[in-house]
Every structure is written in structure tokens, then in C-alpha cells.
């Protein structure tokens, strides 16, 4: 088991080093925890999933802690005091396999929370501190997060830095109008359809005369009509 723990420690250090490469414009910060509590006899508080695997908590003190994302989110738990020494020894040896079942057998006091590794370098903060207030009823534990503070080098609370985010893209330079390609001319619109000319109205037929002859007919037709009219008059006479 000790051989495995030593190998794990050797493997974890390079992984942590690679994960700790600071993004541009960021800096690392220290972490601490403060827990106000009157722990019942035969019990102890431990912070699970710290860098060492588990860190025993001394109530009423500002206690430095270390954390790495590979360990998962941290959580305050109540354990049997008889397991405290074994957890402390395992943490010193980075033997997480040994401390994990002892911590898991404890009672949850509060929801898990993630630590902080880096903040923007424009912030005056150098430390992040979580303050909890824990209470106990029988074998149950309840812890309330009172505050999360960002502290400067003098221990004074300062405003929380903005959350880390992706750098904003710079504005692209405007194109040179002299070298810019000409704007294509708009496509010509289709000509409107030409409306067909209406046919002229048909010429009205010439009225017929009383004799049934077409007065608007040819000259021959007119002469024939006159001759017929004279013949009728002769017969009547």
C-alpha cells in the first residue's frame, strides 16, 4: 500500500504541475477555511477531497487548506474521532486510498463545493476563505456557509474578482477602400410585360334601305335598284 501511495504521489505531482499553468492575465491564490462549531465528544470534522485526501478541521481557526481539481469538490463531514489519527497519517503520506473509506463513512454536513485555483491578476486578492457555521443534533450534522471572502495581503476583504472567461476578440481592421473590390451593380430588373393593343371595334354595317338594298353597296348595285324601281312604276301606270 505504501508503495502504491508513493507511486501515486509521484504521478500526481506532474499532473498538478501541468494543470497549474496559469492562463494569461491570471494568478494563483491561497485557500483557507474557518468553521465555527462545538463538535460533540467522540466526533471530529474533516474536509474531504483536499489535495492530501482529507484535512482535519480545528474549529474556530483560520485554517489553510490546499485543493486540486483532480481531487473533486470538497465537502465538510463529521467522522468518528477514532478515525481522525488514521486520516491524518494517510494525508501526510498522500494515501488517498486509505483515507477515502474512513471519510466516506462520516456524515455529510454541507453540500460539496469547488475550490479556487486562479483569479484575474488585476484583483488585489491573494486568498480565498470560506466560513461555515456547523450545528449537531444527535448523529446529524448541518453546516451553513456564512460567507466566501477574497482577502488582500493584509487580510482585508476586497471585492470578488470577475469570473474567468474567454478573452474578447479584437475588432477586425477596416478594409482599405482603395483596394476593396468594387461593389457589383444590381442586376437589371425584368421589363414589365407589354399589354397587347386592343383590336379596333368592328365597323357597323350600313343600314339597308326600305327596298332591301344596301345603300352603301357598289355603284352597280345602286343602278340595278333604280332600274327595278322604274319598271315597277311603269306596270302600275
Amino acid at each position: 500500500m505504501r508503495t502504491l501511495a508513493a507511486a501515486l504521489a509521484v504521478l500526481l505531482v506532474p499532473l498538478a504541475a501541468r494543470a497549474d499553468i496559469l492562463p494569461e492575465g491570471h494568478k494563483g491564490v491561497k485557500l483557507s477555511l474557518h468553521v465555527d462549531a462545538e463538535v460533540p465528544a467522540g466526533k471530529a470534522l474533516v474536509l474531504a477531497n483536499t489535495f492530501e485526501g482529507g484535512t482535519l478541521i480545528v474549529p474556530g481557526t483560520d485554517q489553510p487548506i490546499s485543493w486540486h481539481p483532480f481531487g473533486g469538490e470538497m465537502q465538510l463531514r463529521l467522522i468518528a474521532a477514532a478515525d481522525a489519527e488514521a486520516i491524518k497519517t494517510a494525508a501526510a503520506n498522500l494515501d488517498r486510498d486509505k483515507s477515502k473509506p474512513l471519510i466516506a463513512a462520516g456524515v455529510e454536513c454541507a453540500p460539496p463545493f469547488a475550490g479556487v485555483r486562479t483569479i484575474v491578476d488585476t484583483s488585489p486578492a491573494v486568498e480565498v476563505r470560506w466560513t461555515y457555521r456547523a450545528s449537531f443534533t444527535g448523529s446529524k450534522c448541518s453546516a451553513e456557509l456564512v460567507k466566501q471572502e477574497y482577502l488582500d495581503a493584509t487580510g482585508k476583504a476586497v471585492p470578488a474578482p470577475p469570473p474567468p472567461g474567454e478573452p474578447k476578440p479584437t475588432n477586425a481592421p477596416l478594409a482599405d477602400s482603395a483596394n476593396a473590390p468594387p461593389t457589383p451593380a444590381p442586376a437589371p430588373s425584368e421589363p414589365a410585360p407589354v399589354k397587347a393593343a386592343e383590336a379596333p371595334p368592328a365597323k357597323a354595317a350600313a343600314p339597308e334601305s326600305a327596298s332591301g338594298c344596301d345603300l352603301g353597296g357598289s355603284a352597280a348595285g345602286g343602278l340595278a335598284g333604280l332600274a327595278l324601281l322604274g319598271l315597277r312604276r311603269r306596270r302600275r301606270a
Side-chain angles (χ1 to χ4, degrees), residues 15 22 29 35 39 43 64 66 71 74 115 117 123 135 151 176 180 192 199 202 223:
L15 291 174
L22 295 178
V29 288
V35 180
V39 183
K43 298 292 183 179
S66 59
M74 297 179 288
R117 296 295 292 177
S123 172
S135 58
L151 309 175
D176 188 355
L223 293 177

Side-chain angles (χ1 to χ4, degrees), residues 18 43 50 67 69 98 104 119 138 154 156 171 174 177 180 196 231:
R18 286 196 295 269
K43 298 292 183 179
T50 56
W67 174 78
K98 187 173 183 178
I119 60 174
T154 66
K156 179 182 177 181
N171 293 329
L174 297 177
S177 58
L231 181 60

Side-chain angles (χ1 to χ4, degrees), residues 192-204:
V194 178
K195 186 177 179 181
E198 296 181 358
K203 186 177 180 180

